[in-house]
Amino acid sequence: MKDVMILTGAGQIGMAIARRMGHGMKIVIGDKREENARAVAKIMNEAGFDAEPVVMDLSSRQSIENLIGEAKKYGEISMLVNGAGVSPSQASIEVILKVDLYGTAVLLEEVGKVIKKGGAGVTISSQSGWRMPALTAEEDELLATTPAEELLDLPMLRKSNIGDTLHAYQIAKRCNEKRVMAEAVKWGRRGARVNGIAPGIIVTPLAIDEFNGPRGDFYKNMFANCPAGRPGTADEVANVAELLMSDRGSFITGSTFLIDGGATSSYFYGPLKPGK
């Protein structure tokens, strides 16, 4: 038996974190597309890791529970890397809320029930959650603490109150940050920690398609007018995750770290500010 890492979402960021932290562990990779999970497992196994692909749908509690059950066959779950999700250009309002908001809440809740003492988790959020106008304290608390099965019934999450898919994505990512805070309290009772990472534009195969697509000029403008002057890499996100998931981050829990090359700063106080 080994310590087990659960990796949800077979993408570049999740794989970079798993490669950084998953040595000597069993890595159970869950993705809605079996071919994606198998492809990442193959890459990792051929690099000396011990990875197992599993079909997993983040929008389904049953699927999440099945993934955790599969992981427990190999040992105690000591790490979670949640990189699963959909983007505003990929899905409808309903799907974004069901996957990115509800699914992440369920995953953090269920893993938190079984995480090993000394364990750690990270969930990948987005810079988008930082660009929404502030919510009220009551709204923040509802996003943080409402039972997962009741989240999508909140008036603020009704389709009539969501402007478009970007708004749905932003509020889902805001909810991720609030759930991390609330779940950190529960994970702490087991001697474990959980944090979030909110990346900006990170170069991945999907991102490259976006750069060369209809919104390419939007991204190029963001790169040119953020302090870093460029997009980020998956390994740079993994640098932050390594701190958060290692003993060096043992006093860090319930936090979400923005890693966007300063794009959000520029959005509020620089050349990316709307209207400039």
Side-chain angles (χ1 to χ4, degrees):
M1 303 290 278
K2 294 182 174 182
D3 276 1
V4 179
M5 170 191 285
I6 291 178
L7 167 60
T8 60
Q12 294 293 319
I13 293 175
M15 183 166 64
I17 297 171
R19 289 174 68 99
R20 193 72 61 89
M21 301 302 301
H23 43 83
M25 305 179 71
K26 183 73 176 185
I27 304 169
V28 177
I29 303 171
D31 196 278
K32 188 172 183 180
R33 295 185 178 180
E34 183 177 8
E35 63 271 25
N36 291 352
R38 289 190 176 278
V40 169
K42 182 175 186 291
I43 291 169
M44 296 200 68
N45 287 332
E46 290 178 351
F49 294 90
D50 182 8
E52 184 71 25
V54 176
V55 176
M56 188 277 306
D57 180 357
L58 189 62
S59 70
S60 164
R61 177 180 286 274
Q62 184 62 58
S63 185
I64 290 168
E65 290 174 349
N66 290 345
L67 174 70
I68 292 170
E70 186 66 24
K72 289 168 67 177
K73 293 178 183 178
Y74 300 102
E76 289 188 276
I77 298 169
S78 63
M79 287 190 179
L80 168 69
V81 178
N82 176 33
V86 293
S87 74
S89 61
Q90 292 176 315
S92 65
I93 290 173
E94 294 89 343
V95 171
I96 290 169
L97 294 179
K98 191 69 185 292
V99 175
D100 289 2
L101 188 148
Y102 166 81
T104 296
V106 172
L107 181 66
L108 295 178
E109 172 187 300
E110 292 300 321
V111 173
K113 294 176 181 177
V114 298
I115 190 75
K116 181 180 177 180
K117 183 177 181 180
V122 293
T123 189
I124 304 302
S125 181
S126 168
Q127 64 178 354
S128 267
W130 296 59
R131 297 187 184 181
M132 263 181 58
L135 300 177
T136 66
E138 181 184 6
E139 288 171 330
D140 277 340
E141 185 168 356
L142 286 171
L143 290 179
T145 62
T146 298
E149 295 305 321
E150 299 173 19
L151 265 173
L152 297 181
D153 294 326
L154 291 175
M156 64 187 295
L157 297 180
R158 290 176 186 158
K159 188 176 179 181
S160 59
N161 292 324
I162 303 291
D164 52 26
T165 58
L166 177 58
H167 184 201
Y169 186 73
Q170 289 176 327
I171 201 164
K173 297 308 177 181
R174 179 71 62 84
C175 183
N176 292 168
E177 295 168 21
K178 297 305 174 183
R179 298 306 282 203
V180 162
M181 295 177 73
E183 285 295 333
V185 177
K186 299 175 185 177
W187 283 47
R189 296 180 189 131
R190 297 183 62 88
R193 300 179 297 106
V194 62
N195 290 289
I197 298 175
I201 305 301
I202 304 298
V203 178
T204 65
L206 285 177
I208 290 172
D209 286 343
E210 293 278 357
F211 301 161
N212 295 321
R215 300 186 73 204
D217 288 343
F218 168 83
Y219 291 113
K220 291 168 186 173
N221 179 60
M222 186 180 292
F223 305 154
N225 289 291
C226 76
R230 62 173 177 84
T233 66
D235 279 341
E236 288 175 305
V237 179
N239 289 340
V240 178
E242 183 178 15
L243 168 64
L244 297 178
M245 301 183 78
S246 71
D247 289 343
R248 289 182 297 164
S250 60
F251 199 56
I252 306 172
T253 192
S255 297
T256 296
F257 289 78
L258 182 64
I259 170 173
D260 70 345
T264 299
S265 299
S266 184
Y267 176 85
F268 283 108
Y269 307 116
L272 289 176
K273 186 172 183 176
K276 278 203 172 185

